[in-house]
Amino acid sequence: MTLPLVVGVDGSDGSLQAVDWAAAEAARHDLPLRLVHASLWERYEGGIPGIGAERPSERVLAEHIVASAADRAARRAPDVKVTTDILPEDPVDALLSEGNNASLVVTGSRGRSELKGLLLGSVGLAVAGRAHCPVIVVRGDTAGLSGTHERILLGAGDPASGGAAARFAFREAAARGCPLDVVRAWRRPMTAEEPAREAESHASALLDALLREPTAEYPDVRVRSVTVEGPAHRILVDRSAAADLVILGARRRHGHRGLQLGRVSHALLHHADCPVAVVPQTV
C-alpha cells in the first residue's frame, strides 16, 4: 500500500502554501494526498445541542477549510488522488498520529491562530521535532517556494545518524532531475595539538562514508559535495537561498517524547529561505 503525503490545513496563508507545495510533491512522487484539519472544538461543543438544524459554526468553518484546500490541490495537481478529514484532536497530536501511516507530513510555517511575528509556529516545530516520518515545513522566499533554483541541499550529518536523510535527499534529487549539493561543516580545533587539516580530513572521510551507499543506488544524481569550515547552522541558512529544499537528519531516541531537534535544525526551521525537510533516524 502506498502511504499518502499528509498535509495539516487550517486556512492560514502558511497552510495554503503547504497545500500548493505538497500537491506538486505528491504529483512528482505519484503519491496520494491527504488533507487533515484538526481542532479541539468538538470536544467542547460537540455535545452541545445546536439551535434548530444549524450546525456549529466551527464545524462549518472546518468543512470550508478542507473543501477549499482540496479544490486548491486538485487545481494544482489534477492527477493526484486527494482525500480529506476533520479530526477532533489537538493539531500536533493529530499530525504525529497521521505520520505513523504517512510517507511524509507537510505543514506551513505558521498557523491561523499564531502570532504574525513568529518565525515558526508551534505546530510545525513540534511535529518536526517529534515525528517518526519525514516532516517538511514549507517556508522561504518566492524563489525557494516555487522551485526555480532547481537544486537540493543536504546538510550532511554523521553516517550513523544521517543515512536516512541522505537517502531522502538522493530520492528527491532523482525525482526532480536536479543536482544535489551536500555540505559538511567542520570547526577549527581550539588547540594547536590537532592541526586544522586533520579536522578537515575527518570531515571529508565522514562525508564520503555517508554518501557511499546512496551514490551507488542513485548513480544518475549529480552530486556536488564540499566540506566548509564554520558553524553548520549559518552555512546552511546562507546556502538555502540558492536551494528549493534543504534536508536535515534528526535523531529519534526510543521512549523520548520531547522535541528532538538540534541547533542546526532549529536555525533552518526558523530562518531558511526555502522549505525544510527534517528526516528522522532512530538511534
Side-chain angles (χ1 to χ4, degrees), residues 50-83:
I51 300 174
E54 293 184 2
R55 291 172 297 160
S57 60
E58 286 291 341
R59 178 73 191 190
V60 174
L61 176 60
E63 291 173 353
H64 173 73
I65 286 172
V66 296
S68 297
D71 180 68
R72 188 180 182 102
R75 285 186 277 111
R76 288 274 178 168
D79 294 331
V80 170
K81 179 183 177 181
V82 180
T83 59

Side-chain angles (χ1 to χ4, degrees), residues 198-261:
E198 291 186 12
E200 184 176 11
S201 296
H202 180 63
S204 296
L206 290 175
L207 183 57
D208 291 343
L210 178 71
L211 299 181
R212 189 172 298 118
E213 290 186 8
T215 299
E217 186 176 353
Y218 296 92
D220 294 332
V221 172
R222 292 164 289 166
V223 182
R224 185 178 67 177
S225 60
V226 294
T227 58
V228 182
E229 182 184 0
H233 65 288
R234 294 181 184 173
I235 292 168
L236 293 173
V237 167
D238 288 345
R239 292 186 177 228
S240 71
D244 298 325
L245 179 66
V246 57
I247 299 164
L248 306 165
R251 297 181 180 183
R252 293 289 185 266
R253 295 179 176 84
H254 286 294
H256 192 293
R257 293 182 55 82
L259 291 182
Q260 299 184 65
L261 290 172

Side-chain angles (χ1 to χ4, degrees), residues 9 12 19 77-78 109 121 161 163 167 180 222 225 262 278:
V9 297
S12 65
V19 170
S109 58
S161 58
R167 290 190 296 273
L180 171 63
R222 292 164 289 166
S225 60
V278 177

Side-chain angles (χ1 to χ4, degrees), residues 16 46 69 77 106 144 182 240 279-280:
L16 297 179
V106 178
V182 185
S240 71
V279 182

Side-chain angles (χ1 to χ4, degrees), residues 120-131:
L120 175 65
S122 59
V123 173
L125 183 63
V127 175
R130 294 169 56 191

